[in-house]
Amino acid sequence: MRKANIAVFASGTGSNFSAIVRAVKTGVIKANLALLICDNPDAPVINKAVRAKIRTVIIAAKDFPSRDSFEKAVTGVLRGCNVDLIVLAGFMRILSPVFVKSYPKRIINIHPALLPSFKGAHAIRDAFEYGVKVTGVTVHFVDEQTDHGPVIMQEPVRIGNKDTLPRLEKRIHKVEHRVYPEAIDLCLRGRLRLRGRKVVR
Ligand code: GRF
């Protein structure tokens, strides 16, 4: 059986990308990390991919007149590499329903809060400022809505009296870097059941 191919989409720092690279190297994820697609030419994740010798394709969204034309370029790249799973890791772009529908149950995302609470780009800060005592990390399939779709894994993180926002951010990211590789491995092994239905790849 051929090894599955993963494509990571990222726009920024790339700490989750690095955790995925490590997990592939150490065999926690038994797949090829075929590709990084980055929509931001200035993103630090690009250097991380170059150092790890992962094929990197920069598709700068600002060079395209519409989301549709940007996504067509992305699809063109993916078509050439037999991608089994698309892993969003800090990808700061909302994918269109057309794109999402063309990869059913094959796009996953990590969100730094316990969905459906604290959706959006500032989830850690929003949870901290709200004053919740428990927040966490969610890995989910991507559907047509933002930060929404069947949950694959969740892990709670308690917010203690000593937590500052930077400390909480650090703690959440540490959990992400452990949970995301585990969730990716689970998806690739076809071991997930969503309300009784097996998800096959
Ligand atoms: C992570 O907190 C992830 O949950 C969110 O974006 C952040 C990306 O961080 N979707 P990094 O680029 O992986 O360091």
Side-chain angles (χ1 to χ4, degrees):
M1 208 175 102
R2 77 166 171 90
K3 263 194 180 176
N5 288 319
I6 309 175
V8 176
F9 288 18
S11 311
T13 311
S15 68
N16 280 284
F17 171 78
S18 294
I20 294 165
V21 168
R22 277 196 300 277
V24 169
K25 273 198 186 136
T26 55
V28 171
I29 299 173
K30 288 168 198 60
N32 296 316
L33 180 34
L35 180 69
L36 168 74
I37 291 191
C38 181
D39 61 327
N40 168 15
D42 301 320
V45 68
I46 296 169
N47 268 336
K48 293 183 168 114
V50 170
R51 277 203 304 271
K53 298 191 170 56
I54 305 296
R55 184 179 165 218
T56 303
V57 179
I58 301 166
I59 306 178
K62 61 175 168 48
D63 294 345
F64 293 84
S66 63
R67 178 164 74 174
D68 185 48
S69 55
F70 167 77
E71 288 184 350
K72 280 197 174 117
V74 172
T75 308
V77 172
L78 293 177
R79 220 176 269 134
C81 24
N82 244 327
V83 166
D84 299 283
L85 189 69
I86 296 172
V87 174
L88 308 185
F91 187 62
M92 300 309 285
R93 209 150 279 286
I94 294 170
L95 295 166
S96 72
V98 172
F99 186 92
V100 170
K101 277 197 186 117
S102 45
Y103 297 95
K105 298 280 185 298
R106 284 164 62 203
I107 310 176
I108 65 173
N109 182 43
I110 187 159
H111 184 76
L114 293 177
L115 290 174
S117 294
F118 303 110
K119 295 177 177 179
H122 305 289
I124 306 178
R125 189 188 68 196
D126 292 346
F128 184 76
E129 286 180 354
Y130 192 95
V132 292
K133 302 296 178 198
V134 182
T135 182
V137 169
T138 302
V139 180
H140 65 98
F141 285 109
V142 171
D143 68 9
E144 290 83 354
Q145 297 174 50
T146 306
D147 292 333
H148 189 271
V151 170
I152 298 166
M153 266 192 186
Q154 281 188 312
E155 187 160 312
V157 173
R158 291 195 73 85
I159 303 179
N161 291 338
K162 285 191 187 138
D163 271 314
T164 56
L165 181 57
R167 187 169 185 262
L168 179 64
E169 284 168 345
K170 233 175 153 177
R171 293 177 58 221
I172 295 260
H173 292 314
K174 202 170 164 200
V175 172
E176 288 189 318
H177 301 160
R178 173 171 47 77
V179 162
Y180 214 7
E182 285 173 20
I184 293 167
D185 179 56
L186 211 62
C187 290
L188 292 173
R189 284 192 289 138
R191 295 283 296 278
L192 286 172
R193 273 172 201 281
L194 299 176
R195 302 247 160 97
R197 271 181 303 126
K198 195 166 181 204
V199 179
V200 278
R201 70 173 169 86

